[in-house]
Structures are given as C-alpha cells and as structure tokens.
Amino acid sequence: MKVTVVGAGAVGASCAEYIAIKNFASEVVILDIKEGFAEGKAMDLMQCASLNGFDTKITGVTNDYSQTANSDICVITSGIPRKPGMTREELIGINAGIVKNVSKSLLEHSPNMILIVVSNPMDTMTYLAHKSTGMPKNRIIGMGGALDSARFKYRLAEALGAPISDVDGMVVGGHSDTGMVPLTSHATRNSIKVSEFLSEERLAQVAEDTKVGGATLTKLLGTSAWYAPGAAVSGMVQAIACDTKKIFPCSTFLEGEYGLNDICIGVPVVLGKDGIEKIVDIPLSDAEKAHMKASAEGVAKTNGLLEL
Ligand SMILES: NC(=O)c1ccc[n+]([C@@H]2O[C@H](COP(=O)([O-])OP(=O)(O)OC[C@H]3O[C@@H](n4cnc5c(N)ncnc54)[C@H](O)[C@@H]3O)[C@@H](O)[C@H]2O)c1
C-alpha cells in the first residue's frame, strides 16, 4: 500500500506521522514544492521508526511526481492555511490553482488512486478536483467532517463530564464556520441520547463551540491546527487501505442524496477499498434539514467563484 501526501507542512507531516505510527502502509511519499522541505520532514519522521515501532518507509521529494507513481491513495494538503480572523473561503484564490495542478499531476502518475482533498475551502476544492480530473466520484473524497465530528465529540464529552470513548456524534454539511451541521439529535452517550443529560441551551452551545472549533485554534496558534486534521486523514486512509467499511462524514459529490445535486458536501459515507462505497442517507430533524440546505447554498456560492 503506497500513500502519497502532497504538502509537507503542518497537516501533511502530521498526517504522514499518524499513518506511519499506525503501521498499515508499506510506503508514504511526501511531496512539497519547497526545496528540501519534504526530504527533511521524511528523514526526521524515519528517525522515529525505531522509537515508535513502525516499518513504513517514508520518503520526501521536491515536486518530483514520478516518485509518487502507482500510489493507491493520495492526499492533498498543499496550499495556504488561514490566519486568525480569516474564513476558509478567503483561501480560494491561491489554493484553487494549487489543488487543480496537484490533482492533475497526481493522476498522471497514479491513474487508479483514491484522492483525499484536505486543502481549504475543502468542499469547493473537492468539487474542483472532481470537475478538473473527471475521476469517478467514489474516488474523490473531501476531509472535513471526520475532523469536525472529533471536535464535536470533544465538546460533548466536556459538557457531559464523560470520557470521549463514551460519546458518539457526527457533523455533516459544509466544512465552514457557518456551514457545519452538528447532528445533536443523533448524538449519544453510550447509546443514550445526549438530550437526556444536557439542556437544549447547553447542546446549542456545544454545537456553536464545535462550529468555531477551527477558528478557536487558529486564534490560539496563529495558524490552523494540524494534529487532529492529520489524525482525521490517517483514519480515513486506514479505512480505505484496510477495507474496514467504517462510516465517516466526508465531502462527496451528490446526485440527489439529501435533496442536493452537483455539489460536494459532508454526508455520512462508508469507506473501503473502493473509496466511497456507499452514501448513507439518514433522517434529519426539520432544523437540521434547514441548516443543511443553507449550508449547501453557502458551498454553492463559493463554488461559483471557481474558474472551471
Ligand atoms: N479540511 C480540513 O479539515 C483542514 C484542516 C486543517 C487544515 N486544512 C487546510 O490544509 C492546508 C494545509 O494547511 P497546513 O497548516 O499544513 O499549511 P502549511 O503552510 O503548514 O503547509 C502547506 C504546505 O504546502 C506546500 N505547497 C504549497 N504549494 C504547493 C504545491 N503547488 N505543491 C506542493 N506543495 C505545495 C507548502 O510549501 C507548505 O509546505 C490549508 O489549506 C489548510 O486550510 C484543512
């Protein structure tokens, strides 16, 4: 199993590290445009192998796509992250050009790859990869919901005073501060609805804290977060590589599901060896449906800025 990660920055390196530590891939190639940067990150990570007990071979390359040839899974993390006060949508100008070129170069060398898009604004970048490569929709997957759901579970556990392992919950919709739809009606603590433990007001606060989870960290760190994004990507890569059929909320091209068309947005999907193997249509409350509709309108507006 060969995995390529484009972008050796904060998220790309964290993603490569978690993939290696989980020890399921034979090879990870990290590619960056900055001379020597990916080589340095790869060497540093390889020097963790004997300490962390993994056999995954990690190599770094400067913009040489021939080294990525025949990758099974490719991850795009290249592009600029937001600074405090910025929205993800403001990154479109620079990141659209990067994502378009990178996805085409990857496809030339790995025609059968499954592509995971991380760069922001992620739903629009996933849509762009879909339109510009013409790859089948099951093989283009946007990462946002896996991270947002992890942040939702963190906030739920905090509010419940419960261990995170006791909590389950999912965030669908667009990967933006206003677009995320935390499914509070489905969230549980050890199979008991969280509404049994938390007031409506407290749950609304949990949802609000989840939606600004990225912005909160960007304010604290001066740039966007990387550990949880890297861990979220590695979980998706593992589900595909090991054909686990685990459900993750992922950005995928919709053709009528959730009443939406011609858009990539976060919905629950089954991940396995063929990428997105099934889109899971779940019933939403009226408020969640309205929120999902508004979220899709926001993503479509950003998609309208693309030059396709
Ligand atoms: N989808 C999500 O949930 C999520 C979460 C966190 C960050 N992000 C996004 O991921 C992206 C990366 O964030 P980061 O914090 O790692 O940024 P970073 O600046 O640390 O790293 C980005 C890397 O991309 C490289 N790069 C730029 N253009 C390139 C090109 N054409 N080819 C190859 N490499 C190129 C840069 O040299 C840099 O090393 C940002 O767009 C950020 O907004 C998404």
Side-chain angles (χ1 to χ4, degrees):
M1 175 63 53
K2 178 172 175 178
V3 182
T4 286
V5 178
V6 180
V11 176
S14 166
C15 165
E17 180 181 9
Y18 285 122
I19 291 171
I21 285 177
K22 292 178 182 177
N23 212 16
F24 60 84
S26 51
E27 195 180 350
V28 174
V29 176
I30 312 176
L31 181 148
D32 202 282
I33 202 167
K34 215 190 296 174
E35 188 68 43
F37 192 53
E39 288 84 339
K41 288 281 179 100
M43 193 185 291
D44 193 8
L45 284 172
M46 275 309 282
Q47 290 168 2
C48 300
S50 63
L51 297 164
N52 285 334
F54 62 79
D55 294 319
T56 302
K57 184 182 166 212
I58 309 168
T59 48
V61 293
T62 303
N63 223 24
D64 177 5
Y65 281 88
S66 68
Q67 301 294 315
T68 69
N70 300 318
S71 292
D72 300 285
I73 303 170
C74 297
V75 183
I76 304 183
T77 73
S78 47
I80 53 165
R82 57 183 171 156
K83 296 276 172 241
M86 284 175 88
T87 66
R88 295 174 179 89
E89 289 75 8
E90 286 174 72
L91 306 173
I92 189 171
I94 293 178
N95 287 357
I98 295 175
V99 169
K100 196 172 179 177
N101 289 332
V102 167
S103 43
K104 280 187 175 166
S105 304
L106 286 170
L107 188 61
E108 263 171 49
H109 293 85
S110 301
N112 299 317
M113 68 171 174
I114 289 171
L115 182 64
I116 300 180
V117 179
V118 181
S119 311
N120 275 317
M122 182 280 296
D123 297 291
T124 294
M125 294 301 101
T126 307
Y127 183 77
L128 173 63
H130 182 80
K131 292 287 174 190
S132 60
T133 64
M135 283 168 61
K137 63 176 201 164
N138 59 303
R139 293 207 270 119
I140 301 186
I141 312 167
M143 191 292 285
L147 168 65
D148 303 332
S149 301
R151 289 178 172 158
F152 184 37
K153 285 181 245 188
Y154 164 78
R155 289 298 183 189
L156 278 171
E158 183 183 56
L160 289 161
I164 292 187
S165 57
D166 226 18
V167 172
D168 202 7
M170 199 191 305
V171 177
V172 296
H175 180 60
S176 70
D177 295 356
T178 51
M180 286 176 213
V181 185
L183 297 180
T184 45
S185 70
H186 289 263
T188 57
R189 174 180 182 177
N190 205 347
S191 77
I192 305 161
K193 282 187 183 296
V194 291
S195 53
E196 295 289 330
F197 303 100
L198 299 173
S199 68
E200 215 171 290
E201 294 71 31
R202 188 67 184 95
L203 266 173
Q205 188 58 50
V206 164
E208 215 38 56
D209 291 344
T210 301
K211 286 159 66 181
V212 297
T216 304
L217 284 162
T218 302
K219 196 169 165 201
L220 290 167
L221 297 166
T223 184
S224 66
W226 54 88
Y227 294 120
V233 178
S234 76
M236 289 165 56
V237 171
Q238 185 174 25
I240 298 164
C242 303
D243 194 25
T244 62
K245 321 284 187 199
K246 230 171 125 68
I247 290 181
F248 289 87
C250 295
S251 190
T252 183
F253 188 76
L254 297 182
E255 292 172 299
E257 300 90 349
Y258 290 87
L260 299 170
N261 273 296
D262 193 34
I263 194 166
C264 290
I265 197 165
V267 294
V269 304
V270 174
L271 289 185
K273 65 178 182 343
D274 296 322
I276 292 177
E277 298 194 348
K278 186 178 167 43
I279 294 173
V280 186
D281 235 327
I282 52 167
L284 302 181
S285 69
D286 286 346
E288 288 161 350
K289 268 187 211 157
H291 194 171
M292 188 72 170
K293 187 167 174 279
S295 177
E297 283 163 6
V299 173
K301 197 169 160 209
T302 311
N303 291 351
L305 302 172
L306 291 171
E307 287 171 23
L308 292 170

